[in-house]
Amino acid sequence: MVGMRDVAKSAGVSLSTVSLVVNGTGYVSAEMRERVEAAMRALDYIPNELARNLYKGRTDLIGVIVPTIRHPFFSTLTACVQHALADRGLRTMLCSTADVAAGEAEYVDMLRRHMMDGIVMGAHTTHDLDYWTSIGRPVVAFDRYLGKGIASIGSDHEQGGLLVADLLLKAGARRVVTVGGPRAQFHDLEQWEETAAGADAGAEPGTTFPTVRYHLTLERELKAAGAWHEYVEAGEVDDLQGYAETMRRVCDRVAAGEIDAVVSSDVGAAFCVQEALRRGIRIPEDLQVVAYDGTYLAQAAGMRVTAVRQDFEAISDLIATRMLEAIQREAAKESGARRKAADVAAQGRPRGVVGEGEPSGPEGVADPESGEVVSRIIGMIGELVPVRVVPGETVRSR
């Protein structure tokens, strides 16, 4: 087997120079680097990845946890996140919690044992907030709040709810149904509402699902305009058949004149359009449909579905940037701790710790005495990415 010594001999350089080139550390002149790389190619030398990771104290591996990759939103997001991480020299290990038996706990254990450098958490979790903050390793949250000090990125779902409401109200919709996942996934929000309004006012929210803001905002705006609204539950996010069956029942009510507009994810909107067309329900004359996500599926439903699109590229870039920053902070903190330990051992007295502090993250939520649930949870996400309307054929022109 070809080793670094063979490369050094072939290139006519020292072993330490080859090590610097292989590990990407220290200064090596361009001429020397080219000689080493030419020798590596000629000898077909493959660096020992495990040894290199041990040398660097990193694996360059990031765990990305999502509910499922069967859903077009999460498959699109995962692809974009993988690309953004790769641009920063990081690889992706995917965990789809609904598709495999082992879930987030296995990945957290791998993170704690330094088998990966960080976790992007994009799935609903029932763990308490102190579970995530106690890990003490790089974690970035997507569309959920995992506790103080943990970076959180998400779409501006309050803006999304306002955009949907504006679209439908200006197009004359008066009887609107929103189809989504089980309403029970919001139960922890309701529990926090009761707690925050009571003796423990100011407590952090227990919910990790801030996307509820889109539903609450839409409901609020429709109610204020005097429009009727109902939330209809479909299956879990991975239960695509559940969405198909729900949309059949919704279209029964459309045909009976009970509903004139439907809002759902791209999956639900696509099933709704296909079912309506099959029954001869006219879109958008008799039924208006808005998709919320804006993936490729919104363009492949038989009609171009009017959609509110989340900016997958901007979200992914922010996630990758915050992850790299968290990894660098962790490395600086560990380096400072090692230097402090060496100072104590050498001098017998403590010195100041070198390294950066924890990321500030969101400072909690707005005033718990506020009357609006939406305003109470708006501060849960540290960085919000705007959404935008993608015009289609399923909403009447104004």
Side-chain angles (χ1 to χ4, degrees), residues 215-239:
H215 300 289
L216 295 177
T217 301
L218 177 58
E219 290 173 4
R220 180 192 67 196
E221 294 299 305
L222 292 174
K223 181 179 180 181
W228 175 85
H229 174 269
E230 180 182 345
Y231 186 93
V232 173
E233 295 185 359
E236 297 286 350
V237 68
D238 63 318
D239 184 8

Side-chain angles (χ1 to χ4, degrees), residues 149 151 322 324-334 355-360:
R322 298 296 172 258
L324 189 57
E325 290 172 350
I327 291 171
Q328 291 169 343
R329 275 193 299 269
E330 182 73 14
K333 185 170 63 177
E334 291 180 354
E356 299 182 29
E358 293 296 324
S360 58

Side-chain angles (χ1 to χ4, degrees), residues 122-325:
H124 189 59
T125 175
T126 57
H127 289 294
D128 293 333
L129 297 180
D130 58 4
Y131 173 83
W132 295 99
T133 54
S134 68
I135 293 172
R137 297 275 290 146
V139 176
V140 173
F142 167 67
D143 252 350
R144 61 211 65 248
Y145 178 69
L146 297 182
K148 291 181 179 178
I150 296 179
S152 55
I153 291 97
S155 293
D156 189 341
H157 296 297
E158 183 177 27
Q159 178 204 14
L162 291 171
L163 288 174
V164 174
D166 183 65
L167 275 171
L168 292 178
L169 290 172
K170 288 183 177 178
R174 305 304 296 172
R175 300 180 301 279
V176 183
V177 161
T178 301
V179 179
R183 191 80 175 194
Q185 63 191 344
F186 304 148
H187 74 282
D188 47 3
L189 173 68
E190 294 169 1
Q191 290 172 355
W192 171 73
E193 265 265 277
E194 296 171 0
T195 302
D200 296 327
E204 288 190 61
T207 185
T208 63
F209 197 70
T211 47
V212 67
R213 287 175 301 161
Y214 142 56
H215 300 289
L216 295 177
T217 301
L218 177 58
E219 290 173 4
R220 180 192 67 196
E221 294 299 305
L222 292 174
K223 181 179 180 181
W228 175 85
H229 174 269
E230 180 182 345
Y231 186 93
V232 173
E233 295 185 359
E236 297 286 350
V237 68
D238 63 318
D239 184 8
L240 304 187
Q241 187 59 36
Y243 272 81
E245 293 171 358
T246 299
M247 287 307 176
R248 281 195 285 272
R249 293 194 296 271
V250 166
C251 283
D252 287 340
R253 298 174 62 187
V254 172
E258 299 176 16
I259 298 168
D260 63 13
V262 172
V263 183
S264 188
S265 65
D266 293 357
V267 170
F271 278 129
C272 182
V273 168
Q274 291 173 354
E275 182 66 18
L277 293 176
R278 187 183 68 80
R279 295 177 181 225
I281 296 172
R282 298 177 305 161
I283 300 175
E285 293 84 0
D286 302 326
L287 173 66
Q288 302 187 79
V289 181
V290 177
Y292 195 93
D293 284 339
T295 66
Y296 60 87
L297 193 59
Q299 307 301 314
M303 298 178 70
R304 288 185 294 105
V305 182
T306 302
V308 171
R309 185 182 189 274
Q310 302 192 55
D311 192 337
F312 296 97
E313 293 78 13
I315 291 168
S316 300
D317 188 66
L318 266 177
I319 287 173
T321 297
R322 298 296 172 258
M323 176 56 69
L324 189 57
E325 290 172 350

